[in-house]
Amino acid sequence: MFTLNAGTPFSPHWQTSPEHVVGVSGVMLWHVEGHKTYRVGAGDYLYYPSKAVHWGKCAPGADCVYYVYDSEPYDFHPAER
C-alpha cells in the first residue's frame, strides 16, 4: 500500500517486475511512457509491463491510497524523461 498527499507527484522510474495497481481512495494521474494518462480512482485497476517508465501525481482534492502488486521482488530504478 502506498499513500500520497493530494497534489504530490512521483518521479519517472521503472521496476523489473510488471506492476498491477489498484486504487483505494483519491485519484492518481498515472503516466506510462508511450501511452495515455490514466486516472486511477477507488476500485480502478492498471497494469503495465516490466521496465515500463511511469510517473504521475495524486490529483488535488483528496489524498491517494493505492495498492501495488509486483510478481518479482520490488525494486526502483529512476528514469530520465
Side-chain angles (χ1 to χ4, degrees):
M1 295 290 274
F2 292 89
T3 302
L4 283 179
N5 293 331
T8 302
F10 64 92
S11 60
H13 65 281
W14 58 273
Q15 278 85 20
T16 302
S17 178
E19 290 203 314
H20 306 262
V21 179
V22 177
V24 176
S25 63
V27 174
M28 293 290 295
L29 303 175
W30 212 285
H31 306 280
V32 178
E33 194 166 72
H35 297 275
K36 67 178 188 173
T37 298
Y38 299 97
R39 294 178 58 85
V40 180
D44 291 335
Y45 171 80
L46 176 63
Y47 166 85
Y48 42 90
S50 69
K51 300 183 181 175
V53 174
H54 53 284
W55 65 96
K57 73 176 192 173
C58 178
D63 293 347
C64 294
V65 178
Y66 56 100
Y67 173 79
V68 178
Y69 169 75
D70 292 345
S71 54
E72 303 291 328
Y74 183 80
D75 58 9
F76 182 96
H77 303 275
E80 295 290 324
R81 199 189 82 192

